[in-house]
């Protein structure tokens, strides 16, 4: 049987049916109904954040956070990373802002905080870093820079669901953090997302943005769109949240086996656990250095694919090398992101992955 890079976590069918029964009674399908409210409450507790707004997906949540924080200033620049999923950059560009790509640290693939200041100009409005693979950014340094220059910080925390730093939910850093609940993520609502934020003055703007700007029954205050999470997805969220610790533990078991089998191999670099971080084991990236390893990243990828094991070159190409961006933004300032994008491979990682399959994958990588 073929193995994909990921497989969505799902609750038992009976549990989901139980959770949606009230919806069939009430006919209240969407528009921030009781299931939405229950889910929001539970999630806020789980993520340990003061404020939380739910959305139909992570991408639109990020766009709306950029808008709600008042960052859509003509000519504005946003310092971000080119080593991410396209969504991060698209959200900036679709907000008519200019992404300014900062290089990453080789160690954990997150934005290099020591290279941010040199990129700040009088047009800079914000920093949008990414907790890549669930590895957290240097939130303390980034916070200090943002304070010094009065910049807003929105974290793309799409990979970082459930991660804590020094015992505090990762969604507490910066002005806001975007979580994605897409089917492929550690935690899913099929499609879905959220903005966690610190200052409750953003509650109303975020709420109005996702609901047509509607303020009251006869009052439309602003020009919002539609990005509401419906009751069925909220119900999926409630079911999956019940199982999240179990799910992360199952991933940890896979992670440990990969570490056991692949660490210390010449030419193969794995991520080191981060200090003071409770991880979520969202992905298992390896970096392949052909001269020492004897095989290229692409060869390993193909050898796995030949056995119907589908790893992923995630992220390749780097964002500033994608068709839609390479003419507009150079990649001269992001050599590490470029280099890593050519070496990185994320291996299959999901809750139900058998350890025998992990062994089989490792055998092929190492053969
Ligand atoms: C998945 C993802 C997004 C987008 O989230 P959706 O919920 O799929 O819209 C944004 N950024 C990163 C880094 C992601 O992995």
């Amino acid at each position: 049987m073929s193995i994909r890079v990921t497989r969505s976590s799902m609750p038992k069918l009976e549990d989901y049916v139980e959770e949606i029964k009230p919806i069939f009674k009430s006919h209240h399908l969407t528009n921030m109904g009781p299931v939405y409210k229950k889910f929001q409450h539970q999630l806020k507790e789980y993520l340990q954040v003061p404020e939380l707004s739910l959305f139909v997906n992570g991408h639109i949540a990020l766009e709306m956070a950029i808008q709600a924080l008042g960052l859509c200033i003509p000519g504005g620049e946003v310092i971000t990373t080119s080593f991410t999923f396209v969504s991060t950059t698209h959200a900036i560009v679709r907000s008519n802002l200019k992404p300014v790509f900062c290089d990453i640290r080789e160690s954990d693939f997150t934005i290099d905080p020591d290279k941010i200041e040199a990129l700040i100009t009088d047009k800079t409005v914000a920093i949008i870093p990414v907790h890549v693979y669930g590895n957290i950014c240097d939130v303390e340094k980034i916070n200090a820079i943002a304070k010094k220059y009065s910049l807003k910080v929105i974290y793309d925390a799409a990979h970082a669901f459930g991660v804590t730093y020094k015992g505090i939910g990762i969604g507490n850093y910066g002005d806001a953090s975007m979580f994605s609940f897409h089917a492929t993520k550690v935690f899913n609502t099929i499609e879905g997302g959220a903005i966690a934020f610190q200052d409750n003055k953003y509650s109303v703007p975020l709420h109005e943005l996702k609901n047509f700007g509607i303020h009251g029954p006869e009052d439309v205050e602003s020009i919002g769109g539609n990005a509401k999470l419906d009751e069925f997805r909220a119900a999926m969220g409630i079911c999956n949240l019940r199982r999240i610790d179990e799910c992360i533990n199952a991933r940890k078991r896979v992670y440990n086996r990969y570490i056991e089998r692949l660490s210390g191999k010449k030419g193969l670099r794995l991520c080191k656990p981060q200090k003071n971080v409770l991880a979520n084991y969202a992905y298992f990236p390896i970096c392949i250095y052909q001269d020492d390893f004897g095989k290229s990243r692409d060869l390993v990828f193909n050898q796995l694919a030949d056995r119907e094991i589908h790893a992923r070159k995630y992220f390749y190409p780097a964002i500033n090398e994608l068709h839609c961006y390479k003419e507009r933004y150079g990649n001269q300032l992001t050599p590490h992101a470029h280099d890593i994008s050519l070496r990185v491979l994320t291996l299959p990682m999901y809750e139900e992955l058998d350890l025998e399959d992990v062994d089989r994958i490792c055998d092929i990588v190492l053969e």
Side-chain angles (χ1 to χ4, degrees):
M1 211 182 76
S2 83
I3 298 175
R4 291 163 170 274
V5 71
T6 186
R7 190 162 193 260
S8 300
S9 288
M10 291 179 79
K12 284 208 178 71
L13 177 61
E14 307 84 78
D15 292 347
Y16 185 64
V17 169
E18 206 48 49
E19 210 60 50
I20 62 173
K21 267 184 189 163
I23 308 174
F24 277 78
K25 283 214 181 93
S26 68
H27 289 226
H28 194 157
L29 308 186
T30 185
N31 286 6
M32 285 71 84
V35 188
Y36 175 105
K37 293 208 173 86
K38 179 176 164 190
F39 176 48
Q40 183 183 36
H41 176 76
Q42 291 183 356
L43 202 53
K44 229 170 104 170
E45 295 219 321
Y46 182 80
L47 295 172
Q48 316 170 39
V49 292
E51 302 289 339
L52 190 76
S53 189
L54 302 177
F55 288 83
V56 74
N57 61 61
H59 175 82
I60 203 72
L62 183 55
E63 284 193 14
M64 291 185 169
I66 290 170
Q67 226 178 316
L69 266 64
L71 302 177
C72 297
I73 296 156
E77 296 177 358
V78 175
I79 296 172
T80 186
T81 170
S82 61
F83 195 72
T84 180
F85 181 55
V86 283
S87 167
T88 322
T89 312
H90 282 357
I92 295 166
V93 175
R94 287 168 53 81
S95 305
N96 293 316
L97 294 164
K98 182 184 168 195
V100 174
F101 296 107
C102 180
D103 208 4
I104 56 171
R105 303 193 281 204
E106 274 188 304
S107 56
D108 61 12
F109 316 113
T110 64
I111 197 165
D112 187 339
D114 298 329
K115 295 190 178 145
I116 292 175
E117 276 195 85
L119 300 173
I120 295 174
T121 71
D122 55 1
K123 293 184 185 132
T124 309
V125 295
I127 309 172
I128 302 190
V130 181
H131 299 307
V132 184
Y133 307 129
N135 290 341
I136 67 158
C137 301
D138 190 331
V139 289
E140 279 146 3
K141 272 195 189 164
I142 292 169
N143 184 41
I145 295 166
K147 242 194 182 148
K148 183 170 164 193
Y149 294 91
S150 301
L151 300 175
K152 293 275 191 283
V153 180
I154 305 176
Y155 284 103
D156 179 334
H159 292 181
F161 188 88
V163 173
T164 67
Y165 176 56
K166 294 183 174 167
I168 296 166
I170 198 63
N172 287 289
Y173 294 90
D175 297 280
S177 295
M178 177 275 279
F179 292 95
S180 163
F181 311 145
H182 183 255
T184 56
K185 303 299 204 276
V186 168
F187 168 79
N188 83 79
T189 60
I190 309 169
E191 293 265 9
I195 298 297
F197 51 104
Q198 299 304 304
D199 192 331
N200 69 8
K201 75 177 176 204
Y202 300 126
S203 293
V204 172
L206 282 169
H207 187 89
E208 288 185 4
L209 276 165
K210 74 174 151 204
N211 190 27
F212 306 105
I214 293 171
H215 195 71
E218 298 178 6
D219 182 14
V220 176
E221 287 237 324
S222 56
I223 307 169
N226 179 7
K228 305 183 296 285
L229 186 79
D230 65 71
E231 296 287 279
F232 288 85
R233 291 192 174 105
M236 190 71 166
I238 289 171
C239 293
N240 276 335
L241 194 59
R242 225 174 259 145
R243 313 175 47 256
I244 187 67
D245 291 338
E246 187 187 318
C247 170
I248 290 175
N249 276 331
R251 287 172 171 273
K252 185 175 181 178
R253 171 192 59 97
V254 173
Y255 170 89
N256 284 337
R257 187 63 148 242
Y258 273 132
I259 292 288
E260 209 177 287
R261 292 290 317 273
L262 300 179
S263 61
K265 301 292 179 201
K266 213 175 156 218
L268 210 58
R269 189 162 66 81
L270 314 178
C271 278
K272 290 206 178 74
Q274 293 181 301
K275 248 192 220 142
N276 299 318
V277 171
L278 185 71
N280 67 358
Y281 311 101
Y283 298 86
F284 197 88
I286 59 173
C287 281
I288 296 172
Y289 295 77
Q290 184 175 2
D291 289 350
D292 287 328
F293 193 61
K295 300 195 279 188
S296 69
R297 184 269 307 266
D298 288 0
L299 180 60
V300 175
F301 175 86
N302 290 332
Q303 287 178 329
L304 288 165
D306 287 344
R307 269 87 147 211
E308 292 204 61
I309 295 167
H310 304 287
R312 197 169 164 203
K313 298 174 199 175
Y314 193 63
F315 307 100
Y316 168 80
I319 300 301
N320 46 7
E321 296 170 22
L322 288 170
H323 246 126
C324 57
Y325 289 129
K326 71 177 170 198
E327 302 294 322
R328 298 166 73 167
Y329 314 110
N331 67 350
Q332 303 85 342
L333 296 179
T334 53
H336 285 149
H338 173 75
D339 182 63
I340 300 290
S341 77
L342 299 176
R343 302 182 183 287
V344 75
L345 196 62
T346 54
L347 299 179
M349 167 59 95
Y350 49 88
E351 186 185 356
E352 295 167 300
L353 188 58
D354 286 331
L355 295 184
E356 296 88 87
D357 285 327
V358 177
D359 283 338
R360 202 153 60 85
I361 293 162
C362 295
D363 289 342
I364 297 166
V365 170
L366 297 172
E367 81 185 6

